[in-house]
Amino acid sequence: MAAIAANAEEGVDRCQIYNFIRDFTPMPVGSIEAVVSCAAKTAVDLGAALGCIVVFSELGFRANLASKYRPAVPIVVVTSLDHVARHTNTAYGQYAFKIPEPADPETETYWTARALLFALEHNLCHPGAKVVIIGGVAGATNTVNSIPSYRILDAPGIYKRKVAQHAVPGSEFAQFAVQKDHKTVSLRATAISLEEVFSPEAPRRKTKIVCTM
C-alpha cells in the first residue's frame, strides 16, 4: 500500500497545489507565513535538486505553516518540546529532530549541521542536495512572533546516482536498471483499455488499478 501511495504521489502537480492554496489564502499574510511559504515555492522551483526543509520551530507554528503548502520534500522540525515532537507524527511531511534546549542565535548553526546529519541518516535527504533552512533572527528569541530567516545550504556529502538491483538482465525492465536523475515518468488518465492494463510494455512506475462497479 505504501508503494501504491508513493507511486500515486508522482502524478501530483505540486505547482498547481501550491498555487491553489495561495489563491485561497486571505491576503495579506503575516511576515512569518510569507517567509515560510517560500520553502514550498522553492521545492516547486528546484524540483529534485531540493532534498528537504529544516524548520526551527520551537512551538510548531512555523512547521505547521510549512506543511500547509504541501511541499514535495520532508520537513525536519527542530524543537526541544516533547509535545511538539509528538505532534509531527500527525502533520503533513514533518519529522521531529528533538534537541535538549531551545536553539538561540549562538547555537543555531550547530543545530543546523546536526539536523542535516539527522536528515541524511534517516534518508530524508540525499547527500549534496539543496536544503532550505528556516531559522531565527539574530537578537530575537525563537518564538511564534519572531521573524524567521531563510537560506539555502548544501547537505554534506556527494550525491551518487542509485542503480537498481532488482531488474533481471535480459528482462523487459532491464532497460530501466540505471535510474537516471531526471523526473520520474508518470501518466494520468481517466480511461484505460483492457489491452493497456495487461500490456507488458507499460511505462515504469505506472500503477494499474482496475475498478468494477
Side-chain angles (χ1 to χ4, degrees), residues 6-207:
N7 185 37
E9 289 183 354
E10 292 292 337
V12 175
D13 190 336
R14 299 292 177 176
C15 182
Q16 184 181 28
I17 291 178
Y18 174 82
N19 290 330
F20 177 83
I21 297 175
R22 287 285 294 177
D23 290 342
F24 284 89
T25 297
M27 298 293 176
V29 298
S31 57
I32 298 177
E33 184 169 355
V35 174
V36 174
S37 65
C38 291
K41 184 61 168 61
T42 302
V44 172
D45 294 338
L46 293 182
L50 185 66
C52 67
I53 299 171
V54 176
V55 184
F56 282 81
S57 184
E58 184 64 17
L59 301 178
F61 181 70
R62 298 177 183 177
N64 291 337
L65 285 178
S67 295
K68 170 185 175 180
Y69 291 92
R70 299 298 190 267
V73 295
I75 303 171
V76 179
V77 183
V78 183
T79 180
S80 65
L81 301 179
D82 291 332
H83 71 276
V84 175
R86 291 193 298 268
H87 175 73
T88 59
N89 294 321
T90 64
Y92 177 89
Q94 294 186 17
Y95 297 85
F97 175 62
K98 192 173 180 301
I99 57 180
E101 58 184 12
D104 53 41
E106 287 73 25
T107 61
E108 182 177 318
T109 301
Y110 170 78
W111 289 120
T112 297
R114 294 295 299 271
L116 292 179
L117 294 177
F118 170 84
L120 292 175
E121 292 173 357
H122 290 78
N123 296 321
L124 303 178
C125 174
H126 58 75
K130 300 293 182 182
V131 178
V132 171
I133 308 296
I134 300 177
V137 176
T141 57
N142 190 15
T143 62
V144 171
N145 297 321
S146 63
I147 300 176
S149 62
Y150 182 92
R151 54 192 173 132
I152 300 178
L153 301 178
D154 292 327
I158 300 176
Y159 176 67
K160 296 182 179 180
R161 186 171 58 183
K162 296 182 179 179
V163 179
Q165 303 294 334
H166 62 275
V168 179
S171 67
E172 60 187 82
F173 300 104
Q175 57 179 320
F176 302 129
V178 178
Q179 301 294 328
K180 297 182 179 180
D181 294 333
H182 57 68
K183 186 177 181 180
T184 301
V185 176
S186 178
L187 299 181
R188 301 168 65 186
T190 57
I192 185 170
S193 66
L194 189 62
E195 290 77 12
E196 290 176 311
V197 171
F198 293 100
S199 173
E201 299 180 355
R204 55 177 174 155
R205 297 296 300 274
K206 182 177 180 180
T207 302

